[in-house]
Amino acid sequence: MNPAEEPRKRRNYDAFQSSRDRSISPPPKRRAFDFNGRPGGKEVVALRVDNPAASSTMSSNNSKNACKSAKESTKPQSRTLFPSPVQLNFVEQLPASSNANCVSLGGILGDPMIKECWLFNYLFDIDFVMRHFDPDTRDIVQVRVVHGSWKREDPNGIHIEEAAKRYPNIKVTKAFMPEMFGTHHTKAMVLFRHDDLAQVVILTANFIERDFRMSQAMWRTPLLPLEIPRRSSSDPLPLLSSGLRFKHDLLAYFQGYSRNGIASLLDLVSQLQEYDFSAVRGALIGSLPGLQMPGQFGPEDQERLGRWGLPALKRILSSIPSNSILSSDPNPEPQIIAQVSSIASVGEKWFRTTLMPTLSTMAPVQKPLPKPKISIIFPTASTIRHSIDGYTSGSFIHMKTTTPTQAKQLSFLKPMLCHWSIHPTLLPNNPTNHQEPTKKTGRATAAPHIKTYLRFTDASLTHIDWAMLTSANLSTQAWGSSPNAGGEVRICSYELGVVVWPALWDAPGTLGVASMVPVFGGDLPTEADDDGLGKDGPVVGWRMPYDLPLVPYGADEKPWCATEACDEPDWMGRVWPGYGR
């Protein structure tokens, strides 16, 4: 850093810190925003509203409920509410009620303060991406595109290279791909701003227009200030629950792109090292192509063994306690829900002996918990037919069921499969006789490309032990194979995600423990989302992309298979010949 720049950067940092501590009551006349760019100034609000002006820190839908609760409540304590750490994507074709608190690509890239932008993804439409930058700064933002289409004949790679030539401010980097069956599936953005702040975004959408007409989600760090003083690389490894550990793992992930002495992301790593991640809540979960050793998790091994894929996820989940004490059920039955857009031919052995035990991992407890129930949300052909793009949406959603091996896999997965949505034609008067979900997201027609994994505390699905947003679908390429004779796990693809859990929002010196609850139609919890809001402790929302309670597949139903032909017309009158035909 240039010594002459130090005083200016120090002033910017001090101003940033003071702005975080500024009172927001009474609220300013202008509309305030928190560090994620959401309306509301601060990301916390009190359930018990003594000052009516304080309700302006909530969304309009939630403030009415909070004010009503304040008038009726006789309890002296208040409950701190936090909005969902993930946001759903804005879908233009959905009604406004389904887009509350949602974020668009332009809402992120359109900020004129962005001076440099790193984009990681599998598919790119360069012209589509560039349209979302501010028109006054579009030609001067330094854009770095990172993809994995390294073969000369790869159409995606050719398209990216040709399109990038039209923009002098774009530089393209190809990720090293050592595995022939792997893909660069990571979806992320790193933004550096003119005000010396930075931000990291993890998302589920490809950078193509059609993906943003499907259900997606984004997780964002706060705006990160410069780190003063900078942490030494010789300091002990930070705790998994800390923002410092998130930074450590993120830098290690980007450093993992460098193979055979090629440090292709050196500029990115050196810049991110300058920033303070202490305000980040979440644990990074990534996958890098290569071998992992899942059986060795001592501190001395964490730098080189078991850092990615399922071994890393097991290490994270083993530090997360269950919130079963918050359940009103004396014998809560935990439930894990995996909601994905692709299920590969993984085999029953890998699913039952590798994936399920990993997802079931929790921190040790005094009273043993029941084995969690596993459910998988995947759309049927009916869901695809009635989606915004009809059958075309199905070309991005994959599960093969045609060969004997695939049919065998479907037979053991079938009892776990649940609907993404239930179309009105399938409700009570229909022979399938499904019961309509009571908690709806309003996003049934936005076909799912999002990937989420949740552990609920009990069968009533009212409290969440942990939640994960990731690019990783159900495949051994994404998460890693079963250990071989030498204990090695092979990972083929690049993936990136984040895991969050309620204790990340625990505040020292406060009563009660934090809880996380599913929220619908908005990002902030309300009394309708948690029957225990009168208790002590913060409440964190998790924005649900699918309806609850879950609706299992009927006996005659099966998942959407893009390679199979569908003769029943979609809502636009089109039939489906089968993917690639």
Side-chain angles (χ1 to χ4, degrees), residues 136-425:
D136 293 330
T137 61
R138 181 182 299 143
D139 297 332
I140 60 175
V141 175
Q142 297 304 303
V143 180
R144 296 288 297 270
V145 170
V146 183
H147 69 94
S149 301
W150 55 273
K151 294 182 180 180
R152 287 186 179 180
E153 65 276 14
D154 191 307
N156 184 51
I158 294 173
H159 170 76
I160 293 172
E161 296 289 345
E162 291 298 320
K165 293 178 182 178
R166 299 194 288 271
Y167 302 92
N169 52 323
I170 292 181
K171 182 177 179 180
V172 177
T173 298
K174 294 180 182 179
F176 178 70
M177 296 296 301
E179 299 285 345
M180 65 178 300
F181 296 111
T183 59
H184 183 265
H185 205 238
T186 289
K187 302 168 189 342
M189 295 183 271
V190 182
L191 311 174
F192 296 101
R193 297 161 51 93
H194 290 286
D195 53 4
D196 295 327
L197 300 175
Q199 189 172 44
V200 177
V201 183
I202 295 174
L203 64 162
T204 62
N206 288 290
F207 290 130
I208 60 175
E209 185 172 2
R210 187 179 299 160
D211 262 30
F212 287 86
R213 295 197 295 270
M214 304 174 76
S215 287
Q216 311 281 1
M218 301 181 189
W219 175 89
R220 294 184 276 174
T221 67
L223 293 179
L224 308 170
L226 291 169
E227 187 172 54
I228 305 173
R230 182 175 166 184
R231 181 177 177 271
S232 172
S233 59
S234 62
D235 289 347
L237 192 65
L239 296 175
L240 272 169
S241 58
S242 68
L244 294 179
R245 179 56 182 270
F246 183 93
K247 176 181 180 179
H248 174 275
D249 290 344
L250 182 67
L251 294 180
Y253 180 78
F254 288 141
Q255 288 167 342
Y257 276 67
S258 301
R259 308 290 177 93
N260 300 330
I262 303 174
S264 58
L265 303 186
L266 183 61
D267 291 346
L268 176 61
V269 172
S270 62
Q271 287 191 79
L272 282 175
Q273 284 175 336
E274 302 289 335
Y275 286 88
D276 180 3
F277 281 69
S278 58
V280 174
R281 293 185 175 105
L284 187 85
I285 177 67
S287 290
L288 288 175
L291 297 177
Q292 298 287 291
M293 294 289 288
Q296 303 182 47
F297 295 123
E300 69 280 1
D301 296 319
Q302 290 184 2
E303 291 303 304
R304 59 189 180 88
L305 302 173
R307 300 182 67 180
W308 314 116
L310 286 181
L313 182 61
K314 184 174 183 179
R315 185 172 64 248
I316 293 171
L317 299 185
S318 65
S319 69
I320 300 176
S322 172
N323 266 1
S324 56
I325 59 172
L326 298 175
S327 174
S328 57
D329 187 342
N331 297 299
E333 179 188 6
Q335 182 162 349
I336 294 172
I337 302 175
Q339 177 273 305
V340 294
S341 63
S342 178
I343 302 177
S345 298
V346 296
E348 185 173 4
K349 181 180 179 181
W350 177 84
F351 191 92
R352 296 195 185 279
T353 65
T354 302
L355 178 67
M356 289 178 62
T358 299
L359 291 175
S360 301
T361 302
M362 292 293 290
V365 293
Q366 292 181 343
K367 180 182 178 181
L369 297 173
K371 186 177 180 180
K373 177 183 178 181
I374 307 290
S375 298
I376 301 173
I377 294 181
F378 198 86
T380 61
S382 175
T383 299
I384 301 301
R385 271 195 295 273
H386 295 98
S387 66
I388 291 169
D389 283 327
Y391 281 131
T392 305
S393 296
S395 60
F396 291 82
I397 299 173
H398 300 284
M399 180 178 176
K400 296 181 179 179
T401 60
T402 53
T403 69
T405 300
Q406 293 161 357
K408 183 179 178 181
Q409 174 170 292
L410 177 59
S411 67
F412 82 80
L413 290 179
K414 182 69 178 289
M416 309 177 209
L417 291 174
C418 297
H419 286 270
W420 164 259
S421 66
I422 293 295
H423 193 266
T425 59

Side-chain angles (χ1 to χ4, degrees), residues 112-151:
M113 291 297 290
I114 297 174
K115 68 176 180 180
E116 184 175 346
C117 174
W118 290 71
L119 302 173
F120 296 76
N121 223 310
Y122 175 53
L123 296 176
F124 283 86
D125 179 339
I126 297 295
D127 295 327
F128 168 74
V129 172
M130 295 303 290
R131 287 199 301 270
H132 288 85
F133 285 99
D134 183 273
D136 293 330
T137 61
R138 181 182 299 143
D139 297 332
I140 60 175
V141 175
Q142 297 304 303
V143 180
R144 296 288 297 270
V145 170
V146 183
H147 69 94
S149 301
W150 55 273
K151 294 182 180 180

Side-chain angles (χ1 to χ4, degrees), residues 560-580:
W560 162 257
C561 178
T563 56
E564 286 190 13
C566 286
D567 295 330
E568 184 175 345
D570 64 13
W571 71 272
M572 289 179 276
R574 303 174 304 180
V575 297
W576 180 251
Y579 185 74

Side-chain angles (χ1 to χ4, degrees), residues 521-535:
D523 288 350
L524 195 69
T526 68
E527 288 179 296
D529 300 313
D530 181 15
D531 57 8
L533 279 181
K535 303 175 184 178

